[in-house]
Amino acid sequence: MNTISCDAAASPIKTSSHAAEQLQPRAFQYEMLGESLRSNIIVALIWFLAPHVELATQQAKVIAAQIPSVQTRLLTGSDGVEYWSKQSIWDTVLNGIQIVVSTHQVLLDALIHGFVQMARLSLMVFDEAHHCIADHPASRILRDFYHPCLAANNGQAPAILGLTASPVVNNKAGKLELAYPSELHDTPRSQLLLDLHQLRSSLDIEQDPFVKKLMSGPEPYDPVQLRKLKLSRKTYCQEQLKNLSTRAEIIQLELGPWAADWYIKACIRKFQQVVSDDTVGLRMLDDREKVYLEECLTGLLSTIPQDDGLIDDAPLSSKFSCLTEYLLSQSGMQFTGLLFVRTRAEVAVLAQLLSLHPKTKALLTVGTFVGVSSTASRKANIGDLIDVRGQIDTLDDLRFGRKNLVISTSALEEGIDVTACNTVICFEKPPNLISVIQRRGRARKSESKFVIMLADDADPSVITTWEKLEQEMHRQYMDDMRQLQGLEALEETDEGYREFVVEQTGAKLLLADAASHLYHFCATLTTGPFSNRAPVFSVKSVGKDLFTTTVILPISVDASVREASSSAWKTEKAAKRDAAFEAYIQLYRAGLVSDNLLPVKAYDELVVEIQTEVAKVASLVEVAGQLNPWHLVARDWQARTNRKNLSTMHCFDVSLLCNDENVAAVQMVLPCNLPVLPTISLYWDARTMFRSTISPRSASASQSTHPHVAAQSTALLLRSVFRYRMNVETTDFVGNVGVQLPEEGIPANIKRCQAFFLPGENENPLQWTQQYVGTIKSEELKPIDVSTLPLNKLGMARSVSQGGRAHVVRGFRIGSLEVPATERQSTGRDEAGLYLQVSRFPKRTDFLHKVPEQDEQIPAKHHTTLLKAEDCEIDKLPIGYAYFAAIVPCVMHRVGISLIGAHLCNTLLAPASIEKLELVLTAITTSAAQEPTNYQRQEFLGDSVLKFLTSLTLTSDHLRWPEGHLSRAKDHIVSNASLAKAALAIGLDKFIITKPFTGSKWRPLYVADQLEKPTGQPRLLSTKTLADVVEALIGAAFLDGGFRKAIELTRIFLRKPTWSKVEDRNEMLHTTHQASESSIICPPHFVQLEELVGYKFTLKSLALEALTDSSYMGPNVTTSYERLEFLGDTCLDIIVATTSFNHEPPIRTHGMHLIRSAVVNADFLAFFSLTLCISVPHATITTGNRKNDVSVSQTLVPLHLWNFMRHASPTVRHAQQEVIERYDSLKTSILESLQRGSHIPWALLARLGAPKFLSDIIESVVGAIYIDSHGSLTACEAFLERLGVMGYLRRLLDGGVALYHPKEELGQLADTETVRYEVFHEEGEEKRLGCVVRVGEREVAKVGDGLCAMEVETRAAEEALRLLKGERGDAARKREFE
C-alpha cells in the first residue's frame, strides 16, 4: 500500500503545545471587516450566510468575539424561525442588529415571505460560495431576489462577498472507483458475517412481521403489490439485516475479519439495549418487528465467543496496519490529527480498534464526529453505533488537547474551523476534488501533513487528474463573466415563471415554491389521527404533450377553497406547481394565509414572546396595593368642606343585636351613600354571636349636630375600648354621623370629621355626651344600693392596680367573704367591703371570624373574678356601647369592602350595569382574604361562560378557519396570560381583596391620614389570581343578566375579538349553513338519525357535517365535523358548569371541577356514544322444504350513532370493530358501576380504549343542534339527557360517588413520597401489559392482563389504595386497643 503525503497549506497560527488556542480570524474575515470599514457599511445590515448550522454557529462566535462593538445575531432553526409569522417578530429580532449569521435557507424564507427586504441589506457574505448552483437556497437568493433588486434599482443592490476554497464542482474526479489491495482477498473471512449472510438467505419472507400484518389486516392488500413485496424483500426487518451485512462487508474489506465481528456484535448488543429501554427511535417500530429482529440477531451471538478483547494475532487488514505504522511514525511530535473515512460504521470501528490496539492505545485519545442527520421520527437503524450526543465537545477536546485524533466522515470537510490539526489522513481516496481541497484545508498548523491512503494497484493518474482540475479551478475562479453567464443560462432552463407579490409586505410566491408552501399549510391543519393531511394532486392529459392538474386539499379546509386547477403545461411537474400556485393564492384571498404568505396561526403572539425573547408574564407580578375606600370618603369630605356643603349627608342606623335583642343603636353619617349591606355576623366568643345591621335613614330623620359635639360623642364611644390606640387631640374620624355645619363653620381647634358615631335617634347627642362622659368612683357606689343597679346601665370596670384592664360587671358582693383562690385579685387576705364580680372584656378585635377550635375555652363572661370596688373605676358609658365600640373595626371593614365593590361597579364595570353588588364583591375577593365568600365558584362558572362566548365568536367570525386555527385562537384569548394582562391594563388589580382582616392593628380612621393613602403598599399577585378574578366577574355578570351582561363585561377586558350579542352570532351561523343547504342531498337513512338523537334538524347539512370524519373524500359534503366539535365542546361545558353551579346545596369548587372533568371526559362520552342506539326492523327470509315455502320474519337490530359516521379510512373501520368487541364484553360492568357504583369506573373505561372520534361526534352533534336551533342550549341539553350524560351528572352532584381518579387519590395518600408506575409487557402471545406501582421505594401493588398503559396504571392505583387504606386502618385500630 502506498502512502502519499503532501505539505498542507501553512497556517498563520503557530503553537508549540496543546494548550488552549485562541481562535484567530481567518484571512477572509480580516478582508471582509476591512472592506466593510472602508465602505462604512458596518452601520447597515450585513448578512453572513453559511451552508449548515455548525458552520453558521462557529462563524457567529468568531464575529462576535472579534468585533464585540457590533451587534451580531445568529438565526437557526433551533430558534424557531419557522414560527416567526409576524413582521413585528422580525422587526423585534433585528432591531439594533448589524450582522446576522444564518444558513442560506433562513434568509431565503425571510425574503420569500417579505420579512426582510433585499434593499435593507448592505452586504451579503456567502461562505462556501461554491454552493451557489442550481436550485440551492444560496443560488435562489441571488436569482430570485438579488438580481431583480439590481434591475429595479438601477444597479443599486447589496455588495456581495463570496468565499470558497473550491469553486469548481463539475469535475470528473468523483467518478473514480476505489481499488482495494489484492492481498485483502486472501485474508480470513469473518465467521459471524458468514452466519449473517446465511441467516438472511434462510429467512422466510412470509414470516416477516410486516408481510404477516398485511396478509392478516382488516382490509385485503393488493395481491400484485404483495407479490412484488415478497420478491423484493424490502421490508424494514429485511432491509436492516441487509444494511448490517453490507456495512460489515465494507468493514471486513477495509479493516479485517476481527473488526467485522466486533461491529456485528456491537450492533446486536446496542439493538438489544434500546429494545429493553424502549427508546424513541424504536417506538416507531411495531412490537412484532422488535421481537422478530431481536430473535434473529440474538441467535447469531449464541455460537461465538463473547470476548471483545483485541488479541495480538487478531486478523486485521494490511490497510489498518499501514495506518498504525504511520501514526506511530508521528509519535515524535505533538500529534493532532483528523482521520477521514467513508461511513459512520467505519468511524465507530476504527475508534474502537485504535483505542484497543497495543501499539496505539497509549499514543492516541480518540474522538468521533459524524453528521447529525437523524430525526426523532425516523425508525432506528441497527447498524449505526455512533451516539451524536457524545460528540458535542469533540472539537473543543481536540482544540484544548484532551483528544489528539478525531475520526470523521465528510461532516468535517467544509466550514467548521478545526485549527489544532497538523495531520489530516484520508483512509480512502477522496471522492472528488472538492473533498481534497476541503480536507487539505483542515491541516493549518506549521509543517502540517495531508495524507491519502491508496491501494497498491490504484491508478496513480488520479493525482495528476486532481492537479489538472485544481488548475481549472483557479482559471474559473478568475473568470467572473463566465460564472455569471452560467447562472443566467441556469435561470433560462426553468419551464415558465409565475410570481404573486403581496404589496403590503413584499412577500413573494414563486411557482417553484408553491407546492412546498401548500404542503406546509396542510401540515398545520389539525385533523384526526386517521386522516391524510397532504394535498392530493390529480393529473390529466389534455392534448398532445400537455397536462393539467387539480389539487384537492384536506376536507377540514373550507369547501370554497378546497380545490384548484392549473392551466395546460408541457410537463406534469409544471402542472402540479401551477395547481399548487393557484391553490395557495385562493387560500391567501380567503384569509387562511397571511400577508407574509404563511399559514394563519391565530393569535401567535405567544410564539412572539417565546421566540423573540420577550419576557413572559411571570407567575408572580407586582401589582398595585389594595384600594383604600376611606381615601375616597376623605376626598368627599374635603370636597364638601371646600364647598361648605355639609348640610346633605347620608345617615345610617347601625344596630347591634344579640339573640334578636338590641344591645346598642347608633347613627353613622358619611358624605357618600352606601350600597345595601347584608347583616354582619360577629363571633364574640365560642358561645355568643352578635349581628349588626346597617340601614339608611331618610333625610328627615337626620339630626343637626354641631361638629364639635359629633366629634366628642364619637371619641367617647371609641375611647371606651380603643383609648390606647387613639390620639387624644385628634378627632377627624373617617365617618360622620348626623352632622350639619352651622353658619359659623367648624371650630378652629376641631379638625373636619370623617367618621363619627352618635347615639340613637331618641337621644340628644350633647346631653348623651355630657351624661356618659367620665367614670364612677368607688366612693360614689357606697351610698347606693348596688343590688338595685341595672348592670346594663353600667360601663366597663377598670382595675387601677392592673393598669386599667377592662372588665364587664356581672354583679356585686358586700362584706367579708371567703374568696376562692381562683377569684382573688388582692394580696391574698380576706377583707370586708364591696367587691365587683367581673369578667374580662376581650382584647381581640376580629369578630368576623369564628374563634379557632384550639382557642375555644370557657368564654370570658362565664369565667368571673372579684375586684375590690375601691381599686376600680366604672365608665359611665353603658356597656352596650362598649360592645358596639369593640365591633366598630369589623363594621368599618365590611363597609370599606362594600365601598370598593361599589366604586368598581361605578367606574370600570359601569358598561356592564351589574345590579347585584354581592356578586361583584364575591368575584374580587380571594380565598386569602378569609371573607364569607370568595371568587372560586364564580370563577368556575365564568371560565365556562368565557370559553363558550369565545368559541361562538370565533366560529362565526372566521367561517373558513379550520378547527386548529380556532382552538389556538381560543386558547390564547382565554389564557391566564391574556386575562392577567387585560386585568392589569385597566387597573383591576387595585380592587382585588387579598388581605385578611385581623383588627390587631386597627386604629380610628382620620381624614388627614386617609387623604395620603389612596392604596396600600404594592403587593405580589399570581397571574392566575388576576385571570381568575376576571373570569369570576364574567360569572357575576352572567348570574346578574345572562349572556347579555357577560358579553358587556367581557368587552371591558378583552377588546379583541369583536364581542357581539349571542343572538346575533347564532343567526349568523344559522344563515351561513342555510346558504349551503341546497347543495346537500339528504340520504334516505336521515330520518333514523333524527330519531336516534331525538332532534329534528331544519338544516340537514348540519347533521351530515357533524358525522363526517376528516378522512372522508366523497361527495355531498361541506366540511368535516371538527368545527362543530369545537363549538359543541363549549356548549357541553357550559351546560355541565351551569347545572353544577346551580345545584342545591351548593357544591364546593373543587368538587365541581372534578365532576366536570368526569362528565366531559372523552372515555366517558365515548361509552355513551356506543350505548346510544335505536332498534330498527330487519327482515329475515327463511325457505322451507317444499316449493314456495318461504317465510319472512322481522327482527329488531340496534343502530348506533357511530354507524352514521362518514369516513374513507380502513383504519377507522378497524378501530370501530375492535372497540365494539371490547364494548360488548365490558358494557354490563360499566353500566352497573355508572348506575349503582360508589366510584367512577375509570379502569373499565380505560380498558374500553375507545378512539377519540366516538367522543368527538357527541360534541359535534351538540354543536349542530345548537346552530340548527338558533342557539338553544335547552335543545342541546335534551340530547345530552337522551344520551344519559345529564342523568349521571345529577348522580354525581347528589353525592355518594367518589370523584377522584385513583392515580390522583394515591398521590394525595402518598403525601411527600414519590409514586412511580412501571408498565411492562407480559409474556405470552396476546402481548398484554402489566404494571407495578411503587410508593417511595416500596412495591405496593402489581396488576396484569391489561390492554393499555392507562388501564393497568389505574388498576394498580386502585389496588394500592385498597392495600394502603387497609394497613392504615389496622394501625389505627391497634393504637386504639393499646
Side-chain angles (χ1 to χ4, degrees):
M1 176 173 289
N2 296 327
T3 301
I4 302 175
S5 175
C6 64
D7 290 335
S11 169
I13 305 171
K14 296 185 179 182
T15 60
S16 59
S17 70
H18 275 149
E21 298 178 8
Q22 176 68 33
L23 282 177
Q24 298 292 331
R26 305 273 289 278
F28 71 82
Q29 292 169 336
Y30 278 122
E31 177 186 350
M32 179 184 71
L33 176 60
E35 182 60 32
S36 299
L37 293 174
R38 285 191 294 273
S39 303
N40 197 28
I41 60 175
I42 201 73
V43 296
L45 187 60
I46 299 173
W47 208 292
F48 194 107
L49 298 159
H52 52 80
V53 174
E54 291 87 350
L55 179 55
T57 303
Q58 186 182 72
Q59 297 289 16
K61 290 180 179 179
V62 172
I63 293 172
Q66 300 301 325
I67 321 176
S69 60
V70 174
Q71 292 292 318
T72 303
R73 181 67 185 255
L74 172 67
L75 300 181
T76 66
S78 62
D79 296 315
V81 178
E82 65 270 24
Y83 299 114
W84 297 359
S85 56
K86 298 280 188 181
Q87 184 66 50
S88 59
I89 305 176
W90 285 89
D91 291 343
T92 302
V93 171
L94 299 181
N95 183 33
I97 301 298
Q98 293 164 288
I99 300 178
V100 177
V101 184
S102 76
T103 59
H104 302 100
Q105 189 66 52
V106 169
L107 178 58
L108 177 61
D109 289 342
L111 291 168
I112 287 174
H113 297 296
F115 295 128
V116 174
Q117 304 297 325
M118 182 62 70
R120 183 181 178 183
L121 307 183
S122 60
L123 171 67
M124 288 190 295
V125 181
F126 289 81
D127 197 7
E128 307 296 342
H130 54 273
H131 289 288
C132 295
I133 59 172
D135 278 336
H136 190 280
S139 176
R140 293 190 56 193
I141 291 172
L142 297 171
R143 182 186 66 202
D144 297 334
F145 294 96
Y146 173 77
H147 290 298
C149 176
L150 196 68
N153 295 284
N154 296 321
Q156 296 296 317
I160 293 179
L161 175 60
L163 309 169
T164 183
S166 49
V168 176
V169 296
N170 186 20
N171 62 78
K172 305 296 184 180
K175 296 183 178 180
L176 295 176
E177 296 296 332
L178 179 64
Y180 293 96
S182 58
E183 62 266 29
L184 278 180
H185 299 287
D186 298 329
T187 58
R189 299 280 292 174
S190 163
Q191 183 59 46
L192 191 54
L193 179 55
L194 294 175
D195 293 342
L196 179 58
H197 287 315
Q198 178 63 30
L199 171 66
R200 286 184 53 214
S201 62
S202 64
L203 290 177
D204 183 359
I205 188 62
E206 294 195 357
Q207 298 303 313
D208 188 282
F210 184 68
V211 175
K212 292 175 68 176
K213 180 179 179 181
L214 292 179
M215 297 175 66
S216 62
E219 293 295 322
Y221 197 79
D222 186 347
V224 177
Q225 292 195 16
L226 182 59
R227 191 180 314 112
K228 290 181 178 179
L229 180 63
K230 290 181 179 180
L231 292 173
S232 66
R233 303 177 72 89
K234 288 187 177 181
T235 67
Y236 174 76
C237 294
Q238 296 290 332
E239 287 295 305
Q240 287 299 298
L241 294 174
K242 177 182 176 181
N243 291 339
L244 179 61
S245 62
T246 300
R247 295 184 183 190
E249 282 282 6
I250 293 174
I251 290 172
Q252 177 174 253
L253 290 172
E254 294 286 349
L255 301 173
W258 185 94
D261 283 344
W262 181 89
Y263 172 70
I264 295 172
K265 288 188 287 184
C267 290
I268 295 174
R269 289 167 183 164
K270 182 177 179 181
F271 182 77
Q272 291 172 331
Q273 181 63 40
V274 295
V275 166
S276 63
D277 295 343
D278 193 21
T279 60
V280 174
L282 285 182
R283 289 176 195 158
M284 303 298 296
L285 292 183
D286 185 274
D287 286 341
R288 287 166 290 188
E289 289 178 325
K290 295 180 189 177
V291 174
Y292 182 77
L293 270 179
E294 187 177 15
E295 289 176 351
C296 292
L297 296 173
T298 303
L300 288 175
L301 296 181
S302 62
T303 60
I304 61 170
Q306 299 300 308
D307 183 18
D308 291 334
L310 183 62
I311 58 178
D312 292 338
D313 58 348
L316 296 172
S317 68
S318 58
K319 187 175 184 179
F320 177 76
S321 301
C322 183
L323 173 65
T324 57
E325 291 300 325
Y326 180 76
L327 291 173
L328 288 172
S329 70
Q330 304 301 308
S331 60
M333 58 185 297
Q334 292 178 333
F335 173 79
T336 53
L338 286 178
L339 175 59
F340 284 100
V341 297
R342 183 171 46 178
T343 65
R344 298 161 71 99
E346 290 175 87
V347 172
V349 177
L350 262 174
Q352 180 73 6
L353 276 174
L354 293 174
S355 299
L356 294 177
H357 198 281
K359 294 182 179 181
T360 58
K361 63 181 180 180
L363 173 67
L364 302 175
T365 53
V366 181
T368 61
F369 193 96
V370 297
V372 183
S373 59
S374 60
T375 63
S377 60
R378 181 179 297 177
K379 285 188 176 182
N381 190 325
I382 63 176
D384 196 350
L385 291 178
I386 297 294
D387 184 357
V388 294
R389 294 171 298 180
Q391 67 181 32
I392 297 175
D393 299 322
T394 295
L395 297 184
D396 283 339
D397 289 342
L398 182 65
R399 181 175 295 115
F400 294 112
R402 294 188 290 267
K403 287 183 171 62
N404 58 9
L405 177 66
V406 172
I407 306 175
S408 175
T409 58
S410 59
L412 279 184
E413 280 186 358
E414 68 176 9
I416 298 178
D417 204 357
V418 184
T419 62
C421 293
N422 53 34
T423 301
V424 174
I425 303 173
C426 301
F427 194 64
E428 295 97 0
K429 176 180 64 65
N432 51 46
L433 178 61
I434 293 177
S435 293
V436 173
I437 297 172
Q438 296 284 13
R439 293 180 182 185
R440 190 171 65 181
R442 300 304 95 202
R444 298 196 182 100
K445 278 192 174 183
S446 178
E447 301 180 359
S448 298
K449 299 294 183 181
F450 178 62
V451 180
I452 301 175
M453 301 184 68
L454 295 176
D456 290 327
D457 55 354
D459 184 1
S461 64
V462 66
I463 304 300
T464 305
T465 303
W466 285 339
E467 290 174 350
K468 291 180 180 180
L469 287 173
E470 189 168 6
Q471 294 173 3
E472 176 69 10
M473 176 192 73
H474 287 293
R475 189 179 69 81
Q476 290 194 14
Y477 183 72
M478 303 301 296
D479 193 356
D480 295 335
M481 290 304 297
R482 182 176 179 180
Q483 188 177 21
L484 179 61
Q485 291 172 357
L487 293 173
E488 290 175 350
L490 181 64
E491 292 177 354
E492 293 175 357
T493 60
D494 289 342
E495 183 184 347
Y497 181 85
R498 294 187 68 187
E499 71 173 32
F500 174 80
V501 180
V502 181
E503 294 183 2
Q504 295 90 328
T505 63
K508 184 186 297 185
L509 176 66
L510 301 176
L511 199 63
D513 299 323
S516 61
H517 283 358
L518 193 62
Y519 274 96
H520 176 60
F521 171 84
C522 293
T524 65
L525 300 174
T526 303
T527 59
F530 308 114
S531 306
N532 180 14
R533 291 190 292 181
V536 177
F537 291 89
S538 176
V539 182
K540 292 183 180 179
S541 177
V542 293
K544 184 178 181 180
D545 298 330
L546 291 177
F547 301 90
T548 61
T549 296
T550 299
V551 60
I552 304 175
L553 304 186
I555 196 174
S556 55
V557 178
D558 187 76
S560 62
V561 292
R562 193 177 300 142
E563 292 188 15
S565 298
S566 72
S567 55
W569 293 79
K570 292 182 180 180
T571 65
E572 293 183 13
K573 180 179 180 180
K576 288 181 179 179
R577 285 182 173 183
D578 191 45
F581 189 88
E582 293 293 335
Y584 209 73
I585 293 176
Q586 283 186 176
L587 294 173
Y588 169 73
R589 290 171 176 164
L592 296 175
V593 172
S594 71
D595 285 341
N596 296 109
L597 296 179
L598 287 170
V600 173
K601 293 183 179 179
Y603 294 91
D604 58 357
E605 284 81 1
L606 291 179
V607 178
V608 176
E609 293 178 357
I610 296 171
Q611 302 297 344
T612 62
E613 300 178 0
V614 176
K616 298 179 183 179
V617 178
S619 58
L620 286 177
V621 292
E622 183 177 283
V623 301
Q626 187 172 305
L627 178 67
N628 177 12
W630 300 109
H631 171 78
L632 304 175
V633 177
R635 287 170 49 191
D636 284 348
W637 278 115
Q638 187 179 48
R640 286 177 178 270
T641 301
N642 293 340
R643 297 193 305 267
K644 295 185 178 181
N645 178 21
L646 295 176
S647 58
T648 55
M649 293 295 169
H650 297 274
C651 185
F652 303 89
D653 287 326
V654 185
S655 300
L656 182 64
L657 306 172
C658 181
N659 297 328
D660 295 329
E661 294 184 4
N662 190 46
V663 176
V666 299
Q667 300 175 58
M668 179 174 67
V669 172
L670 293 172
C672 57
N673 198 9
L674 290 180
V676 176
L677 297 175
T679 298
I680 304 173
S681 298
L682 302 158
Y683 303 94
W684 189 257
D685 55 36
R687 302 183 185 180
T688 307
M689 187 176 80
F690 290 157
R691 291 184 299 110
S692 180
T693 60
I694 303 175
S695 55
R697 302 188 73 198
S698 62
S700 59
S702 301
Q703 301 185 34
S704 176
T705 303
H706 194 282
H708 179 75
V709 175
Q712 293 301 324
S713 64
T714 303
L716 173 64
L717 183 70
L718 295 181
R719 284 173 184 157
S720 65
V721 176
F722 301 106
R723 60 174 59 189
Y724 299 112
R725 301 187 184 188
M726 297 175 63
N727 188 335
V728 177
E729 302 299 327
T730 304
T731 56
D732 59 335
F733 303 105
V734 168
N736 193 351
V737 184
V739 180
Q740 294 182 359
L741 184 68
E743 293 182 2
E744 62 271 21
I746 300 177
N749 63 334
I750 300 295
K751 295 184 179 180
R752 181 181 69 259
C753 302
Q754 182 159 336
F756 294 116
F757 294 94
L758 295 176
E761 59 181 328
N762 297 324
E763 301 280 359
N764 181 284
L766 179 59
Q767 295 177 357
W768 183 85
T769 303
Q770 293 173 346
Q771 177 182 357
Y772 292 124
V773 69
T775 60
I776 303 173
K777 305 296 183 182
S778 58
E779 55 269 16
E780 298 179 48
L781 293 175
K782 291 181 179 179
I784 303 174
D785 183 1
V786 294
S787 62
T788 63
L789 285 175
L791 297 178
N792 62 345
K793 296 297 183 181
L794 294 176
M796 287 195 293
R798 303 181 188 276
S799 172
V800 177
S801 62
Q802 296 181 21
R805 180 71 169 86
H807 298 79
V808 180
V809 179
R810 301 296 181 184
F812 296 90
R813 292 194 184 185
I814 303 174
S816 178
L817 301 175
E818 292 290 333
V819 182
T822 57
E823 297 185 6
R824 191 176 300 131
Q825 298 292 323
S826 60
T827 60
R829 294 181 300 163
D830 297 337
E831 301 179 7
L834 179 62
Y835 289 85
L836 305 182
Q837 187 174 8
V838 298
S839 61
R840 289 187 175 183
F841 195 86
K843 290 183 178 181
R844 58 189 292 260
T845 51
D846 176 15
F847 300 104
L848 292 176
H849 303 102
K850 293 182 179 180
V851 179
E853 292 183 3
Q854 60 269 26
D855 297 339
E856 285 193 5
Q857 301 172 354
I858 299 176
K861 71 177 184 179
H862 300 289
H863 181 74
T864 61
T865 59
L866 296 178
L867 299 177
K868 291 181 64 175
E870 62 187 35
D871 186 45
C872 298
E873 294 179 349
I874 301 178
D875 290 346
K876 291 182 179 180
L877 184 69
I879 190 65
Y881 289 107
Y883 284 141
F884 180 83
I887 60 96
V888 162
C890 301
V891 172
M892 298 291 277
H893 172 73
R894 286 291 166 80
V895 170
I897 294 294
S898 298
L899 288 173
I900 292 175
H903 187 59
L904 176 60
C905 289
N906 295 329
T907 53
L908 297 184
L909 305 186
S913 303
I914 299 178
E915 298 176 0
K916 297 177 182 178
L917 176 64
E918 63 272 17
L919 295 174
V920 175
L921 291 177
T922 296
I924 62 175
T925 304
T926 66
S927 58
Q930 300 179 22
E931 293 295 312
T933 61
N934 60 62
Y935 67 64
Q936 291 179 349
R937 275 177 47 84
Q938 285 183 196
E939 179 272 329
F940 170 83
L941 179 62
D943 172 74
S944 294
V945 172
L946 176 59
K947 288 177 179 176
F948 171 76
L949 295 176
T950 303
S951 297
L952 180 62
T953 299
L954 292 173
T955 305
S956 56
D957 271 350
H958 305 285
L959 299 172
R960 290 175 172 172
W961 273 15
E963 183 271 337
H965 290 43
L966 296 173
S967 293
R968 284 192 292 268
K970 184 195 76 171
D971 291 344
H972 174 71
I973 292 172
V974 305
S975 68
N976 285 347
S978 296
L979 297 180
K981 182 179 178 181
L984 292 173
I986 68 169
L988 177 67
D989 48 330
K990 65 182 178 182
F991 293 96
I992 299 176
I993 300 167
T994 58
K995 186 176 181 180
F997 174 77
T998 63
S1000 59
K1001 296 183 180 180
W1002 187 86
R1003 299 290 186 274
L1005 307 176
Y1006 302 112
V1007 173
D1009 295 339
Q1010 301 307 311
L1011 284 173
E1012 299 174 358
K1013 300 177 181 178
T1015 61
Q1017 293 296 318
R1019 51 192 169 155
L1020 291 176
L1021 278 184
S1022 70
T1023 51
K1024 184 180 185 306
T1025 297
L1026 291 166
D1028 286 350
V1029 171
V1030 174
E1031 291 176 332
L1033 286 170
I1034 293 173
F1038 178 74
L1039 293 172
D1040 191 66
F1043 287 124
R1044 179 181 62 82
K1045 287 192 176 181
I1047 282 285
E1048 292 296 334
L1049 193 134
T1050 303
R1051 189 182 291 122
I1052 294 171
F1053 290 97
L1054 301 172
R1055 303 301 174 88
K1056 292 182 180 180
T1058 302
W1059 304 96
S1060 304
K1061 293 180 180 179
V1062 170
E1063 296 79 6
D1064 295 341
R1065 296 289 181 182
N1066 295 337
E1067 289 305 312
M1068 188 184 305
L1069 288 173
H1070 190 276
T1071 302
T1072 301
H1073 283 82
Q1074 191 174 30
S1076 61
E1077 185 71 8
S1078 58
S1079 62
I1080 299 300
I1081 302 174
C1082 182
H1085 62 271
F1086 188 82
V1087 176
Q1088 296 173 334
L1089 173 62
E1090 292 181 319
E1091 180 186 354
L1092 179 65
V1093 300
Y1095 178 83
K1096 187 173 181 61
F1097 284 91
T1098 304
L1099 303 178
K1100 311 301 184 184
S1101 59
L1102 278 169
L1104 289 179
E1105 181 180 327
L1107 294 166
T1108 301
D1109 183 71
S1110 56
S1111 65
Y1112 182 72
M1113 298 295 290
N1116 201 32
V1117 63
T1118 53
T1119 187
S1120 56
Y1121 63 63
E1122 280 90 350
R1123 280 176 56 90
L1124 289 178
E1125 180 260 330
F1126 169 78
L1127 179 61
D1129 174 70
T1130 53
C1131 292
L1132 171 62
D1133 190 81
I1134 191 69
I1135 290 171
V1136 173
T1138 52
T1139 303
S1140 302
F1141 186 89
N1142 294 324
H1143 184 269
E1144 292 294 340
I1147 307 294
R1148 297 181 64 180
T1149 308
H1150 187 58
M1152 291 193 297
H1153 278 289
L1154 292 174
I1155 290 172
R1156 179 172 63 182
S1157 298
V1159 173
V1160 303
N1161 177 270
D1163 290 335
F1164 179 81
L1165 293 177
F1167 175 77
F1168 280 109
S1169 176
L1170 293 168
T1171 304
L1172 180 66
C1173 69
I1174 57 174
S1175 296
V1176 295
H1178 177 72
T1180 302
I1181 301 176
T1182 305
T1183 303
N1185 296 327
R1186 293 180 299 174
K1187 186 177 181 180
N1188 297 327
D1189 187 4
V1190 178
S1191 62
V1192 179
S1193 60
Q1194 293 283 348
T1195 58
L1196 295 178
V1197 296
L1199 187 63
H1200 297 81
L1201 183 62
W1202 59 267
N1203 291 123
F1204 291 91
M1205 272 191 67
R1206 300 196 299 173
H1207 62 85
S1209 169
T1211 311
V1212 171
R1213 186 177 301 111
H1214 185 58
Q1216 289 175 337
Q1217 294 170 350
E1218 287 186 336
V1219 75
I1220 287 300
E1221 292 177 4
R1222 296 192 295 270
Y1223 171 77
D1224 290 338
S1225 64
L1226 297 172
K1227 174 183 176 181
T1228 303
S1229 300
I1230 295 177
L1231 282 176
E1232 175 68 22
S1233 180
L1234 292 176
Q1235 294 170 359
R1236 285 176 285 275
S1238 60
H1239 291 73
I1240 299 174
W1242 295 114
L1244 290 173
L1245 291 172
R1247 188 176 182 85
L1248 180 63
K1252 187 175 180 294
F1253 60 72
L1254 289 175
S1255 61
D1256 286 346
I1257 60 175
I1258 293 295
E1259 293 172 335
S1260 62
V1261 169
V1262 171
I1265 293 174
Y1266 179 83
I1267 295 176
D1268 189 74
S1269 63
H1270 299 271
S1272 172
L1273 288 174
T1274 303
C1276 298
E1277 187 173 343
F1279 168 64
L1280 295 174
E1281 187 73 55
R1282 180 179 180 83
L1283 195 64
V1285 172
M1286 299 307 295
Y1288 192 64
L1289 172 61
R1290 287 191 293 271
R1291 183 163 187 259
L1292 294 179
L1293 291 172
D1294 290 340
V1297 179
L1299 300 176
Y1300 281 104
H1301 192 282
K1303 294 179 68 174
E1304 184 179 2
E1305 187 177 359
L1306 181 59
Q1308 293 181 347
L1309 188 64
D1311 197 14
T1312 58
E1313 292 187 285
T1314 302
V1315 179
R1316 290 183 295 121
Y1317 297 88
E1318 299 173 1
V1319 179
F1320 58 89
H1321 291 273
E1322 293 184 322
E1323 296 182 358
E1325 296 183 358
E1326 294 186 354
K1327 300 298 181 184
R1328 296 298 174 91
L1329 297 177
C1331 179
V1332 172
V1333 59
R1334 301 181 188 277
V1335 178
E1337 298 301 322
R1338 175 191 173 194
E1339 179 181 320
V1340 179
K1342 181 178 180 180
V1343 298
D1345 191 34
L1347 298 179
C1348 66
M1350 179 55 69
E1351 177 208 346
V1352 291
E1353 288 178 2
T1354 304
R1355 286 171 46 212
E1358 289 177 342
E1359 181 65 13
L1361 283 170
R1362 185 185 66 80
L1363 294 172
L1364 291 177
K1365 287 180 178 179
E1367 291 175 358
R1368 298 188 181 189
D1370 293 342
R1373 286 189 292 272
K1374 182 178 179 181
R1375 287 194 300 270
E1376 182 179 355
F1377 179 77
E1378 293 175 346

